[in-house]
Amino acid sequence: MSLVVLKLGQGTWQSGFPTVMAQLWSEGQIVPTQWVGSLPAAPELAERYKQWQSLYAALNQRLNLRRSSLIEIEPEGITHVSQASLEAECHHLKQHLDRWFESDLFRKVDRRLRTHLAPVDEIRVLIETDDPLLRRFPWHLWSFFEDYPLAEVALSVSEYCQPDCALRTGAKVRILAILGNGTGIDIQHDRALLEQLPDAETIFLVEPTRPELDRHLWDAQGWDILFFAGHSTSQPDGTTGEIAVNPTETLTIAQLKNALSAAIQRGLQFAIFNSCDGLGLARALADLNLPQLIVMREPVPDLVAQTFLTHFLTAFSQGNSFYQSVRQAREQLQGLESQFPCASWLPVICQNPSVAPVDWKALAQAVAPNSTRIEPAGSEQPASGPTLPRRRTTLKLAAVTSLAVSSLVMALRWLGGLQALELTAFDHLMRLRPPEVADPRVLVVEVTEADTNQYGYPLPDQTLAQLLQHLAEMNPRAIGLDMHRYQPRGVGRAALLQQFQQHDNLFLVCWSASTDKNFAPPPEFSEAQRLEQVGFSDLLLDGTAADANQNRVRRQLLSYDPRVANAPPDCSTPYSLSFQTAFRFLYETGQPLEVNAENNWQAGNVAFRRLPSRFVGYQNLDGLSSQVLINYRSGQPGQRVTLSQVLNGEISRNFVADRLVLVGTTAPIARDTHLTPYGEMPGIWIHAHMASQMLSAVLDQRPLIWGLPQTGAVQWGDTLWVGLWAAAGAGLAWSVRSVKWLLLAMGLMLVILYQMSWLLMTQAGWLPLVPSALSFGGASVSVCGITKFKSTKFKKIKSSGE
């Protein structure tokens, strides 16, 4: 999950925000990626929101609202209002907000964020500000959240610290539910939902007195979730609010400060105020460093509050993340907006940035107070606890054991028994790498579902010819078309073929592994065109159709000798599409690809060394064709535009000039998606990764995937590395007598091995993680066995955590 923190800093709608800081935190990052921009003055946004607020209040004033009767805000100057006028104001507000974020002062920040984030990423966006009007603003209207469907926004104050608390220890999720003054609303619906939650212990306080509420908040067992349903409201300045706990008594957060602070210290993770106008409550709770809470930003109709709670608790208790549960529940409120306009605008998260959101599983599986715990290493007394028998093995025996274990592991690997595990570990380490910026030299033109709906599928030849003409006029260095065109598609065949005759930097694909003529080059192509303007689109898949988890694209086929391959003559080109386009691009830069003395492709001082039959985790490659591992970028390998954008003239010349352009269909109808280390990916984007890899290796010195030294298929570097870890495991078991210290040391060594493997992978190095871990653990356990340590006693010690 990624975290975006947007710090608005000092400023107002009237004067603008001169320093807007955007921070991007990704998993595993210690220091965030940061950009600085600014936002111009936008007083019309403030006025638009106030106008919307007045219309909303006027339209909803006769509904059953969960608002305290002690503070009422009458719509100013509004006598007649219709739902249509409110919807129009919503539209204008969103337009102004998007225009504000698209200003030149902020555009750089917006583009950098979008370059580093993918639409499939789960993203938390924190808006950090103390301004009451800014906190009320409906930030979810920003078009960013339309482009990133797994992103959700939250509010944060500018000053915060990490609360002195941890997850409460208990067998069930413990909820304190306050059912306050229910005059005019139905809060029994909320109670029924809470009673149905799995793995939860809910204590209900129905219209409690202040002493009763205070006493329960001080409960020594602590609470995981605090829930309130009833009437509430916030002061206009947004600094505080109050809840009606019973028909005659209202309380502010300040009046419950000590009790709430005690609850937070004892593990309170979040609160839900399913009541009206809760941002004042949220602001006061932020001063107590509550990790997170959900409130309604405006007065909320009773049915809307009930529906939101239903959807949120259902999603959250079923394992969805906190933020995704809120977004899903908020968006489902749109179904009520014919009756309750802007219902989906109301729920908002308020987050303490120093605390990570917790999920239901973590709350439900917290360690019970009577469970066995592993004490910190420093807490044990040197003389206490069982120990291994005194050393009866010699260092020589430990060395023999490590040699035997490492030999057994490498033999199992040589037979292919570890390949699936090693490739899975490779994928895992690849996904943990820090994000990279997109390759500025690569542009992908997607034929999206909207495009196929408009132009048809497959694309008519005339449409394709128009697209290629538009692109060619903007002077790219190479254009790769990942579409098969053996037979005509509608009208415009001659115009399409003419594009290939006029532009020798235009390349088409065929499928060399198929005997179906529909996947052959156009029969009108000359022999020269079949060789120079066609590239095969074949992708190398690991595994078999029955082994879906390993059936992934990890390797790039550059070229092969068609004389030694069983290729049909209709698709006999020896070069892949990615190779053809990269070859043309590099040729234009003065660094052409050539075959070196070792029969490998090389440009400048960069050689694309073909993979031998055995390479790190691979144990059964053909070793003949020119293939390399794909060093995928952790983000998009290039910029993206759509077919419609090009045909409608929305793309400038500078966006295409001197780039390598790839055109392909990403619409589901094409069924052109494949598994990769980064999940399912359209074929055109895989070709983009491969082409970008070649350009980046030659022009940027970005490394190709490499392994430890080997001679041909003899993996002597891997063998030495695995042997060293076996020796380390045997030596550790030989020298450490305490079982507790041995287990801790083994865990630490495995963490070090994992971190080294990850660190090398960030530099494109692939270490044999799985064989090393197996040899290390196997040698340690074997040496312990040789010392005749009783297995039953060992199991007892291990299960008790000693």
Side-chain angles (χ1 to χ4, degrees), residues 602-683:
Q602 180 166 339
N605 61 351
V606 177
F608 295 87
R609 294 183 176 87
R610 65 182 62 203
L611 295 176
S613 59
R614 300 182 186 275
F615 181 77
V616 197
Y618 285 102
Q619 299 299 312
N620 56 356
L621 299 175
D622 61 34
L624 297 175
S625 57
S626 181
Q627 59 177 286
V628 295
L629 277 171
I630 306 175
N631 187 9
Y632 283 95
R633 290 178 181 266
S634 52
Q636 286 188 175
Q639 299 296 318
R640 169 191 177 274
V641 297
T642 66
L643 168 69
S644 298
Q645 288 177 308
V646 177
L647 293 181
N648 294 336
E650 299 175 17
I651 306 303
S652 67
R653 177 185 180 86
N654 292 337
F655 205 70
V656 178
D658 296 326
R659 288 194 175 192
L660 187 157
V661 180
L662 292 172
V663 182
T665 304
T666 59
I669 193 174
R671 293 184 294 179
D672 183 22
T673 58
H674 306 272
L675 290 176
T676 73
Y678 288 93
E680 199 169 24
M681 188 179 297

Side-chain angles (χ1 to χ4, degrees), residues 85-306:
S85 61
L86 181 61
E87 291 176 352
E89 192 60 41
C90 293
H91 178 69
H92 293 318
L93 186 60
K94 174 172 172 51
Q95 281 187 323
H96 279 76
L97 180 66
D98 284 336
R99 194 176 303 127
W100 191 48
F101 274 123
E102 290 169 2
S103 64
D104 293 338
L105 300 174
F106 189 75
R107 188 174 302 160
K108 180 188 74 171
V109 173
D110 182 75
R111 287 183 176 177
R112 293 288 178 85
L113 282 174
R114 293 172 184 269
T115 299
H116 284 74
L117 296 169
V120 297
D121 292 343
E122 188 169 338
I123 307 165
R124 295 185 292 130
V125 180
L126 298 190
I127 305 295
E128 185 178 298
T129 179
D130 294 320
D131 184 275
L133 184 57
L134 287 173
R135 289 174 64 81
R136 278 191 174 274
F137 202 79
W139 296 101
H140 68 277
L141 297 180
W142 182 14
S143 61
F144 177 90
F145 296 100
E146 298 175 359
D147 300 334
Y148 293 86
L150 299 183
E152 179 63 335
V153 67
L155 300 176
S156 165
V157 294
S158 57
E159 293 185 1
Y160 51 85
C161 65
Q162 190 169 18
D164 184 17
C165 69
L167 284 179
R168 190 189 63 82
T169 57
K172 291 185 176 182
V173 180
R174 201 155 187 259
I175 304 173
L176 178 60
I178 307 166
L179 305 181
N181 180 14
T183 303
I185 58 176
D186 177 17
I187 57 178
Q188 293 306 312
H189 179 275
D190 297 11
R191 175 169 188 159
L193 289 173
L194 293 171
E195 289 174 339
Q196 297 171 10
L197 288 175
D199 301 317
E201 175 193 355
T202 306
I203 305 300
F204 293 94
L205 299 182
V206 180
E207 296 188 347
T209 62
R210 178 177 178 180
E212 184 183 3
L213 174 56
D214 199 77
R215 176 167 54 83
H216 278 82
L217 286 172
W218 277 98
D219 193 313
Q221 294 185 55
W223 306 97
D224 296 305
I225 302 172
L226 175 65
F227 174 82
F228 173 79
H231 296 288
S232 70
T233 192
S234 294
Q235 295 292 341
D237 61 3
T239 57
T240 189
E242 58 184 17
I243 56 176
V245 293
N246 57 59
T248 61
E249 195 172 12
T250 61
L251 296 175
T252 64
I253 298 301
Q255 291 172 305
L256 297 170
K257 177 180 178 181
N258 293 340
L260 285 168
S261 296
I264 293 170
Q265 291 175 3
R266 291 170 181 162
L268 182 62
Q269 293 300 307
F270 68 87
I272 304 174
F273 285 85
N274 204 26
S275 56
C276 285
D277 199 11
L279 284 173
L281 300 169
R283 184 62 185 86
L285 283 167
D287 292 335
L288 303 181
N289 295 309
L290 178 68
Q292 57 203 10
L293 72 156
I294 303 171
V295 297
M296 299 294 176
R297 61 162 40 92
E298 298 290 346
V300 57
D302 192 34
L303 181 59
V304 174
Q306 295 171 4

Side-chain angles (χ1 to χ4, degrees), residues 455-506:
Y455 298 103
Y457 179 84
L459 287 180
D461 287 344
Q462 184 175 5
T463 302
L464 200 53
Q466 292 174 357
L467 171 67
L468 296 177
Q469 182 178 353
H470 278 295
L471 292 173
E473 289 173 352
M474 291 184 274
N475 198 31
R477 292 190 176 177
I479 304 175
L481 184 61
D482 185 21
M483 297 180 187
H484 297 281
R485 286 289 146 163
Y486 175 77
Q487 59 184 350
R489 302 287 184 181
V491 298
R493 181 70 167 183
L496 177 61
L497 296 174
Q498 185 178 8
Q499 292 298 319
F500 286 90
Q501 295 171 356
Q502 293 177 346
H503 307 290
D504 60 358
N505 64 341
L506 179 56

Side-chain angles (χ1 to χ4, degrees), residues 277-430:
D277 199 11
L279 284 173
L281 300 169
R283 184 62 185 86
L285 283 167
D287 292 335
L288 303 181
N289 295 309
L290 178 68
Q292 57 203 10
L293 72 156
I294 303 171
V295 297
M296 299 294 176
R297 61 162 40 92
E298 298 290 346
V300 57
D302 192 34
L303 181 59
V304 174
Q306 295 171 4
T307 306
F308 171 77
L309 186 65
T310 301
H311 293 315
F312 169 74
L313 290 178
T314 300
F316 189 57
S317 63
Q318 289 179 352
N320 290 334
S321 70
F322 183 84
Y323 274 66
Q324 283 305 297
S325 299
V326 172
R327 173 158 183 168
Q328 180 177 327
R330 179 176 60 76
E331 291 182 335
Q332 285 177 294
L333 294 178
Q334 192 176 41
L336 299 176
E337 291 186 345
S338 60
Q339 183 179 359
F340 304 104
C342 300
S344 61
W345 289 34
L346 302 180
V348 60
I349 303 171
C350 297
Q351 176 75 49
N352 182 335
S354 67
V355 183
V358 70
D359 56 33
W360 186 265
K361 183 178 180 181
L363 292 175
Q365 295 182 353
V367 181
N370 59 350
S371 297
T372 303
R373 293 173 176 273
I374 299 177
E375 298 297 332
S379 66
E380 78 163 335
Q381 299 297 323
S384 66
T387 60
L388 292 173
R390 294 186 179 275
R391 297 188 187 93
R392 297 178 183 175
T393 58
T394 65
L395 189 59
K396 179 179 179 180
L397 185 56
V400 171
T401 302
S402 66
L403 179 61
V405 170
S406 62
S407 298
L408 180 63
V409 169
M410 292 306 289
L412 179 63
R413 187 197 207 203
W414 186 83
L415 293 173
L418 301 181
Q419 179 166 305
L421 287 175
E422 289 201 73
L423 293 180
T424 300
F426 172 81
D427 295 344
H428 172 73
L429 293 173
M430 285 281 285

